[in-house]
Amino acid sequence: MPWHALDSAAVFARLTSGPSGLTAAEASRRLGDAGSNELTVAAATPWWRVLVRQFVSPLIGILLTAAVVTLIQQHWVDSGAIFLILCINAALGYVQERKAEADVRALQSLSTPSCRALRDGTEQVVAGPEIVPGDVVLLESGERVPADLRLFETTGLQLDESMLTGEPFAATKRTEQLPADVSDADRANIAYSGTFVGSGRGKGIVVATGAGTALGEINALVQGPPGKSPLQLLTRNLERRIGLIILAALVFIFIAGLVLGNDVSTMFRISVGLAVATIPESLPIVLTVALSLGVSRMAKRNAIIRTLPAVETLGSTTVIGSDKTGTLTENRLTVERLWTTAGPLEISAGDHDGGADTALVRAVLRAGALTNEATLSSEDEDLEYSGDAVDAAMAKTAVARGAISEQDRTAQALRHQPYEPHLRYSQTIHADAQGGRTLYVKGSPEAVMDAAGTMAGRAGEDPLDKALIHAANAEMGRDGLRVIATGSRSLAAGEEIPAVLPPPSGLMFLGMEGMTDPPRAGVADAIARCRLAGIKVMMITGDHPVTATAIAGRLGLSTDKPALTGSEIAELDDHMLAARLQQTSVAARVSPVEKLRIVHALQNAGNVVAVTGDGVNDAPALRAATIGVAMGQSGTDVAREAADVVLTDDNFVTIVHAVEEGRVTFAAIRKTTYFLLSTGAAALVAVTLSVFAGTPLLFLPVQMLWMNVVTNGVQDIALAFEPAEGDELSRPPRPPSDGILSRTLWFRAGITGAWMALAVLLSFIVELHAGYPEIHARTLALTVFVMLSFFQVFSSRAENKSLFQLRLLANKPLLFTSVAALGLHWAVMSWPLTAGLLELTALSAGEWLLCAAIGSTVLIIVEAEKAVRRWAHRHDAPAT
């Protein structure tokens, strides 16, 4: 039987302990058997292994081989440039990967340094790690629970378990045994390790320590390396494909060149130059730049990115599993409805105008504010109160609507009895200005009704109508409101006030206040935008199903199907759970393990899952999700360390902004990759065809290295600065089958790469047949390639839109770097020293114009292909 299902005597018997605790000798023996009451953390990956991993890639392997070959041949400039590229790439990857090593260390901050326990029958201060099963621990307000305890004595004990359950209300604890099948959040006789005592005091016997606690189970779930992001998987796959193609092509060209009569040294240098010219070695740098720009843009919109790949992953998200409290809601109780015999009164957010309130309404508000221990913490226009969440909400509403002044509310009471969970009410006696005295009571509707004999009516006191009150209470409960009733009684002139107030009686039932944690402003609109963007939003919370469903309905989430609950999840297999998740948008009363299972079920169904959370209970799901999003203001250190993204404003709306920025970032990566692959393919095809055409070498090795600098040395990086096109959230998430390049871009890269290769080779052959020397023909062919790349980079700015629909200065870095590359190429050809080193010659103005005309043809091809696709899309639209 679980601990919560046993009575206190059975728990003591099983643990061979008693109410007076253990002896010091027995505790020492058990410490040796059970081990220290601490959480274990997986060892960090050695730094050298992380560094070695940066070189495990087909593309990196080819470049490394090329660098070694050029080093052996003593071509120092070539080998130095390649080694520099490799070092930059490895350094960037190493830094990013090492950042993830501290993911779960924050759990250790929840360990209790010391606590009060009974040893040898006396109260002693015991170090937290030395607590053992069977110890009796004493709890008081402000203390942290050191281990999982089965409570056997409580006095008004309330624990803040929000980090485990997500509920904004303090959990009231008692000692009675409970049914075996109650959920973790409903085990009122268990105090969980790491939670805080909000009020009251109690005693409990330790039933689990260290890894055996609920906190320890969460710790075990967040251990292990994080999974690869979709972008990382796509990049690895693309690198393998490119590496194999290029390696096969280089081997083929090398052998073919030898067969056709070229010497080994020349073909080695040609192969090395071609490898550098065709391998998109700047792709890792481009990825880092694009993701870093995304990080910067997201930071301006209150989203802090902890791992770079998370930028793009947000843009690929298909399901967002959001916590309720503090993310979708304000994490602040607010009075939204008042009920009196005159009927309900709805109070909208920010409605502080109480000028039209009836005497009945004012009486309810006044009673709730006087039986109250909240303190005013901010006197600005939006009054803020601290203390119990219910007291703060009732005090703020009463003062803001003018039912009572803050001075009257805080006037010294003649007697006061604070709220006690087992009594379910609080009461206070106040004197009025006329010398009269009034008893005010606030508590559960049932408790106030039991103490009442009449109810406040429009014309005075009416007979108590319990059926009417029950019906109103039930209706407010169905709407997810927490209901508190108020009552009052005027004391007779000679009635004595005892030192300890007796249970109230003879009350007049005044009315009820319904309160809830209201939705954040803008969240409903953000959820609607997610729906437009093809993203499903789910609420996953530890809160009660009725409350969760009510809030979901107000946010626009589907409530046609009942909420999925933790107890229901336990009865479903993985396939049935996946089917159930497709039907509902709300999962309530779920434990950390169940929330983790939901994430895995969604991922196994092919979804890219983003999960939000702020508590320790959210950490396993945050770490397992494709993208974890933690709250920066209300979130625990554990949640923040397990997440990829931290929201500084704890607002769901910020997630939608981050999704938009993620899509912009991926679009920039996609455009840059398309440009690099198309120009690389053009160089590879052109050189390959020239080997078999029987012509002199199309490009010398040093010219191919120069071509790599001028055609995509910095332009590809500048392309990563391409801004949003404006329709990012009107498109569905990209299909996983697309990869980094869509089918459209693969086709476009093929036709443009083939055309650029053909144009360059034909230019070279025509120049040779016209009688020009090889140096002139190579210079013109190289300049044609440079101009083709110039126009190709601009055609890459948009996948579907025409280039002429984009603002020329929207991407100033691209314009400036592209023009600078042309100027640099002209300067190198014109300066005799550099022209001699690269074996180039100056071209006339007419030849430059010819090269520009040939280069512009690639733009014409791309624009024509885009126009045809747009026409086909419009033509097919009516049929769909």
Side-chain angles (χ1 to χ4, degrees):
M1 291 287 287
W3 296 110
H4 65 273
L6 300 174
D7 60 23
S8 300
V11 173
F12 284 126
R14 180 184 289 189
L15 291 169
T16 320
S17 183
S20 59
L22 303 173
T23 65
E26 176 63 14
S28 178
R29 186 190 68 79
R30 294 191 182 192
L31 182 63
D33 294 338
S36 178
N37 179 33
E38 294 178 305
L39 300 179
T40 58
V41 177
T45 306
W47 67 267
W48 58 268
R49 186 172 294 175
V50 176
L51 183 61
V52 169
R53 276 205 293 258
Q54 309 313 311
F55 295 93
V56 181
S57 162
L59 295 183
I60 299 300
I62 294 173
L63 285 178
L64 194 59
T65 303
V68 172
V69 170
T70 53
L71 190 64
I72 293 173
Q73 292 185 325
Q74 298 184 356
H75 299 297
W76 312 117
V77 175
D78 296 352
S79 61
I82 299 172
F83 274 121
L84 179 62
I85 292 170
L86 290 171
C87 290
I88 293 175
N89 177 61
L92 291 172
Y94 177 82
V95 171
Q96 288 303 316
E97 195 164 341
R98 290 292 286 181
K99 278 172 122 178
E101 292 293 348
D103 264 359
V104 298
R105 300 297 190 269
L107 277 167
Q108 293 178 315
S109 67
L110 295 179
S111 60
T112 306
S114 63
C115 62
R116 294 178 302 118
L118 296 179
R119 293 273 177 92
D120 294 321
T122 62
E123 179 182 325
Q124 300 181 20
V125 176
V126 180
E130 296 179 5
I131 289 294
V132 296
D135 262 326
V136 170
V137 174
L138 311 181
L139 299 176
E140 280 191 0
S141 179
E143 295 180 336
R144 192 193 294 273
V145 180
D148 285 0
L149 311 178
R150 170 61 167 89
L151 299 169
F152 64 89
E153 184 179 311
T154 61
T155 304
L157 182 63
Q158 291 190 305
L159 299 185
D160 178 1
E161 296 180 340
S162 58
M163 69 173 191
L164 292 175
T165 65
E167 289 197 34
F169 310 115
T172 300
K173 295 298 181 178
R174 57 183 191 271
T175 60
E176 298 83 4
Q177 67 185 101
L178 301 171
D181 58 351
V182 299
S183 65
D184 291 351
D186 293 322
R187 295 177 181 176
N189 56 15
I190 299 293
Y192 292 106
S193 175
T195 59
F196 282 97
V197 180
S199 61
R201 56 189 180 276
K203 292 181 181 180
I205 182 171
V206 176
V207 296
T209 60
T213 63
L215 192 64
E217 293 176 3
I218 293 173
N219 178 64
L221 293 174
V222 299
Q223 299 295 328
K228 296 292 183 182
S229 73
L231 180 61
Q232 289 172 316
L233 295 174
L234 291 175
T235 305
R236 291 285 179 87
N237 183 49
L238 181 64
E239 286 181 347
R240 284 194 295 269
R241 292 170 64 182
I242 295 174
L244 291 174
I245 293 172
I246 292 178
L247 183 60
L250 292 179
V251 172
F252 179 73
I253 291 172
F254 180 78
I255 295 175
L258 295 179
V259 172
L260 293 174
N262 294 297
D263 62 90
V264 174
S265 178
T266 300
M267 290 313 301
F268 258 126
R269 294 197 63 198
I270 289 176
S271 298
V272 169
L274 190 58
V276 176
T278 55
I279 288 178
E281 71 277 352
S282 59
L283 184 58
I285 300 175
V286 170
L287 290 177
T288 301
V289 170
L291 295 174
S292 297
L293 287 171
V295 168
S296 177
R297 290 193 295 260
M298 288 184 183
K300 294 177 182 178
R301 305 182 83 166
N302 301 316
I304 305 301
I305 307 299
R306 298 186 66 250
T307 55
L308 280 183
V311 177
E312 184 279 328
T313 307
L314 273 169
S316 306
T317 299
T318 59
V319 176
I320 298 177
S322 178
D323 189 27
K324 177 182 73 68
T325 306
T327 309
L328 299 177
T329 63
E330 295 181 359
N331 194 21
R332 176 175 55 86
L333 281 184
T334 301
V335 176
E336 293 197 345
R337 187 182 303 170
L338 282 95
W339 182 89
T340 64
T341 52
L345 172 66
E346 301 293 338
I347 301 177
S348 59
D351 179 10
H352 296 160
D353 183 10
D357 289 347
T358 65
L360 285 175
V361 169
R362 296 171 69 86
V364 173
L365 293 174
R366 181 179 178 85
L370 287 173
T371 314
N372 199 295
E373 296 182 78
T375 57
L376 182 65
S377 55
S378 173
E379 298 186 31
D380 57 14
E381 183 178 345
D382 188 18
L383 297 170
E384 293 296 334
Y385 286 84
S386 58
D388 180 78
V390 171
D391 281 357
M394 299 181 81
K396 178 177 180 178
T397 304
V399 174
R401 297 183 73 84
I404 190 174
S405 68
E406 180 63 20
Q407 182 179 0
D408 289 342
R409 194 189 73 83
T410 56
Q412 182 66 40
L414 300 178
R415 290 288 186 275
H416 176 68
Q417 179 183 5
Y419 178 82
E420 292 288 351
H422 64 286
L423 297 176
R424 297 185 300 163
Y425 64 80
S426 61
Q427 56 181 337
T428 188
I429 298 177
H430 280 269
D432 56 36
Q434 290 74 35
R437 300 167 300 167
T438 305
L439 168 68
Y440 296 98
V441 178
K442 170 178 105 264
S444 70
E446 292 80 7
V448 177
M449 271 194 295
D450 290 343
T454 61
M455 61 192 300
R458 298 185 181 185
E461 291 190 44
D462 294 336
L464 185 67
D465 187 343
K466 289 190 175 183
L468 178 64
I469 297 173
H470 277 304
N473 181 32
E475 182 178 356
M476 295 170 79
R478 284 193 297 270
D479 291 337
L481 300 177
R482 181 169 185 177
V483 183
I484 301 295
T486 59
S488 67
R489 178 173 68 86
S490 297
L491 272 64
E495 185 176 346
E496 293 186 6
I497 302 176
V500 178
L501 291 176
S505 62
L507 298 178
M508 178 173 61
F509 190 95
L510 297 175
M512 296 180 287
E513 297 185 45
M515 59 199 75
T516 188
D517 183 8
R520 279 179 173 269
V523 169
D525 290 338
I527 290 175
R529 294 180 70 192
C530 285
R531 191 179 299 112
L532 180 64
I535 302 172
K536 178 179 180 178
V537 178
M538 288 194 65
M539 178 191 294
I540 307 175
T541 178
D543 214 341
H544 195 279
V546 174
T547 304
T549 301
I551 295 295
R554 296 172 60 179
L555 292 172
L557 295 175
S558 174
T559 56
D560 296 338
K561 298 290 184 180
L564 175 68
T565 62
S567 57
E568 183 183 354
I569 292 174
E571 299 174 357
L572 300 176
D573 61 27
D574 292 342
H575 295 293
M576 295 174 66
L577 176 59
R580 184 73 171 84
L581 289 170
Q582 288 183 336
Q583 298 175 345
T584 187
S585 296
V586 181
R589 239 3 173 212
V590 293
S591 68
V593 174
E594 291 157 351
K595 189 170 185 177
L596 181 62
R597 192 177 167 204
I598 289 174
V599 172
H600 286 317
L602 291 170
Q603 289 174 324
N604 292 336
N607 291 293
V608 176
V609 183
V611 170
T612 76
D614 57 3
V616 175
N617 61 315
D618 299 315
L622 288 171
R623 188 166 174 82
T626 319
I627 182 81
V629 183
M631 304 300 109
Q633 292 180 349
S634 62
T636 61
D637 289 341
V638 180
R640 286 192 289 268
E641 289 298 328
D644 306 289
V645 180
V646 177
L647 305 184
T648 59
D649 59 357
D650 291 11
N651 198 336
F652 182 85
V653 177
T654 302
I655 301 175
V656 182
H657 293 159
V659 168
E660 182 179 12
E661 293 295 351
R663 292 189 175 187
V664 173
T665 299
F666 182 78
I669 293 171
R670 170 171 277 184
K671 294 166 186 176
T672 305
T673 304
Y674 158 73
F675 169 68
L676 288 172
L677 292 184
S678 60
T679 54
L684 183 63
V685 173
V687 173
T688 302
L689 292 178
S690 69
V691 171
F692 289 95
T695 64
L697 292 177
L698 177 60
F699 298 126
L700 300 177
V702 68
Q703 292 172 344
M704 284 188 282
L705 292 173
W706 172 248
M707 180 172 65
N708 189 54
V709 172
V710 179
T711 58
N712 54 35
V714 285
Q715 298 95 310
D716 49 355
I717 297 176
L719 190 56
F721 286 79
E722 190 64 28
E725 296 181 31
D727 60 347
E728 281 73 20
L729 289 182
S730 63
R731 301 193 299 261
R734 69 175 167 78
S737 58
D738 267 6
I740 288 187
L741 294 188
S742 63
R743 295 179 182 178
T744 297
L745 290 182
W746 274 115
F747 173 77
R748 191 176 298 164
I751 60 172
T752 55
W755 169 249
M756 286 190 289
L758 187 61
V760 169
L761 184 59
L762 287 178
S763 300
F764 181 61
I765 293 175
V766 168
E767 287 291 291
L768 290 177
H769 286 179
Y772 288 100
E774 290 182 15
I775 187 173
H776 187 278
R778 287 196 182 100
T779 301
L780 187 131
L782 181 60
T783 305
V784 166
F785 194 94
V786 170
M787 294 303 302
L788 285 164
S789 298
F790 175 84
F791 285 99
Q792 178 72 332
V793 76
F794 282 98
S795 73
S796 304
R797 290 183 59 195
E799 182 174 350
N800 299 306
K801 285 186 176 181
S802 168
L803 172 64
F804 303 106
Q805 292 179 286
L806 306 178
R807 291 189 302 112
L808 180 63
L809 296 179
N811 190 343
K812 293 180 181 178
L814 179 63
L815 178 62
F816 295 155
T817 56
S818 298
V819 172
L822 291 181
L824 181 62
H825 184 62
W826 172 84
V828 165
M829 291 192 306
S830 302
W831 189 26
L833 178 61
T834 53
L837 289 173
L838 296 177
E839 298 189 39
L840 299 174
T841 187
L843 298 179
S844 66
E847 289 172 323
W848 269 96
L849 289 175
L850 175 64
C851 292
I854 297 173
S856 65
T857 57
V858 72
L859 179 60
I860 296 172
I861 291 173
V862 172
E863 287 297 315
E865 189 257 355
K866 288 181 181 179
V868 170
R869 288 187 182 275
R870 288 195 297 269
W871 176 86
H873 179 72
R874 288 194 299 268
H875 182 73
D876 293 339
T880 58

